[in-house]
Amino acid sequence: MKFKLRIVCSLLVSFVVLCNIPAWWFSRYADVWSGAFHPDQLKLTNAVIRQVSAPLSRSSFRTGDSQFDGEWLFGTYLMAGFGLCQMAAINPEMKEDWKQVITQCVRNILSPQVRAFDDESWGRSALDTLEYNDGHAAYLGYLNLLLSLFERVYGPHEFSDLNTELTECLFRRLNCSRTGLVATYPDEWYPVDNAALASSVILYAKNRNQITMQRKMDGWIHRFKEKYIDSENGLLIQAINRKGNPMDAPR
């Protein structure tokens, strides 16, 4: 009996520790990082700037798959641009220090070397397909999200006309799609990529006060939540087939 009691007590103590100690430990500096400017943020920002200022190529990443290496190259410039825009938004007195780096990140993303992972998958450049009604959800969607965020923080920039072209293209592709999603690669549809794509359109509409576009995107959000968010656990469905049916479990 005493042995069983010790086991029960041990399990209870372990449960309490697991539920509380890790959360406490890893959230110790949450208020610092999520609040206003902190010196460590500048250290990390400068580290990111050094990374994206150095020569990068697919060979800089070693995932074991050339396409994934290309995605990492694209994502490195993309996430650096996102992060710098967010830093500029909370530190407006320093934002001019980062504008040129963000601009160079966009230029790199537009380069043949960085967009090659997407071009190779489709057999064509995404930037040459803007008059068509499908494809390139990830490359064009994430790029456009960066351009919309850039304008949100800095106002009009040298890519503002491209931001307009991409938004009109992606908005049309969403509305032309039977499933409400745009393909990332041929015969591959991912709700997560389309969430970023839609966000780029919504943010653009807010930047430019495009009321009609905002209202239509409100409807898209409602349909997206109904179809691609699991009603039981609230998790995002990761991939769908041509008919809009889930191809794996939500996660």
Side-chain angles (χ1 to χ4, degrees), residues 7 10 14 39 55 97 109 116 137 203 205 239 250:
I7 291 177
S10 298
S14 298
D97 296 342
I109 290 170
L203 188 54

Side-chain angles (χ1 to χ4, degrees), residues 45 48 76 141 161 171 224 228:
T45 300
V48 169
T76 296
D161 289 344
F171 181 61
F224 182 87
Y228 304 119

Side-chain angles (χ1 to χ4, degrees), residues 26-174:
F26 290 108
S27 65
R28 288 173 300 154
Y29 303 110
D31 291 340
V32 172
W33 289 107
S34 62
F37 178 75
H38 185 273
D40 284 346
Q41 291 177 334
L42 185 57
K43 292 179 183 178
L44 291 174
T45 300
N46 290 334
V48 169
I49 291 172
R50 286 194 298 272
Q51 182 179 19
V52 297
S53 298
L56 293 175
S57 66
R58 275 186 175 180
S59 62
S60 303
F61 306 92
R62 303 181 184 277
T63 68
D65 184 280
S66 178
Q67 180 172 318
F68 291 160
D69 291 343
E71 290 180 356
W72 273 88
L73 179 62
F74 167 65
T76 296
Y77 291 119
L78 183 76
M79 297 304 172
F82 285 153
L84 289 169
C85 282
Q86 291 170 330
M87 284 294 291
I90 63 174
N91 303 287
E93 72 282 359
M94 299 181 67
K95 71 179 188 178
E96 291 305 316
D97 296 342
W98 299 316
K99 185 176 182 179
Q100 187 54 43
V101 183
I102 300 168
T103 298
Q104 190 58 51
C105 283
V106 176
R107 290 174 182 163
N108 288 336
I109 290 170
L110 291 170
S111 71
Q113 177 193 21
V114 175
R115 69 170 193 260
F117 79 96
D118 186 76
D119 292 355
E120 291 166 3
S121 295
W122 287 95
R124 64 193 185 199
S125 171
L127 299 173
D128 293 334
T129 69
L130 301 188
E131 72 273 21
Y132 302 129
N133 289 333
D134 190 35
H136 309 276
Y139 178 78
L140 292 181
Y142 287 109
L143 166 60
N144 198 48
L145 182 55
L146 177 54
L147 298 185
S148 295
L149 181 59
F150 196 4
E151 182 161 311
R152 188 70 172 180
V153 177
Y154 285 92
H157 49 71
E158 67 176 84
F159 308 105
S160 289
D161 289 344
L162 177 60
N163 191 196
T164 297
E165 288 184 70
L166 293 181
T167 298
E168 291 175 349
C169 165
L170 297 173
F171 181 61
R172 186 181 70 251
R173 289 181 183 182
L174 286 176

Side-chain angles (χ1 to χ4, degrees), residues 225 228-237 250-251:
K225 289 181 176 179
Y228 304 119
I229 300 292
D230 189 275
S231 59
E232 293 185 2
N233 53 38
L235 298 178
L236 182 67
I237 292 170
R251 51 189 169 93

Side-chain angles (χ1 to χ4, degrees), residues 143-216:
L143 166 60
N144 198 48
L145 182 55
L146 177 54
L147 298 185
S148 295
L149 181 59
F150 196 4
E151 182 161 311
R152 188 70 172 180
V153 177
Y154 285 92
H157 49 71
E158 67 176 84
F159 308 105
S160 289
D161 289 344
L162 177 60
N163 191 196
T164 297
E165 288 184 70
L166 293 181
T167 298
E168 291 175 349
C169 165
L170 297 173
F171 181 61
R172 186 181 70 251
R173 289 181 183 182
L174 286 176
N175 284 292
C176 287
S177 172
R178 186 166 57 87
T179 62
L181 300 185
V182 179
T184 291
Y185 299 121
D187 294 320
E188 295 183 37
W189 292 265
Y190 301 106
V192 63
D193 293 337
N194 280 265
L197 184 159
S199 296
S200 79
V201 175
I202 293 166
L203 188 54
Y204 173 91
K206 291 181 177 180
N207 291 343
R208 306 296 182 95
N209 198 31
Q210 297 283 339
I211 305 301
T212 300
M213 183 180 285
Q214 288 186 59
R215 288 174 178 169
K216 288 187 177 180

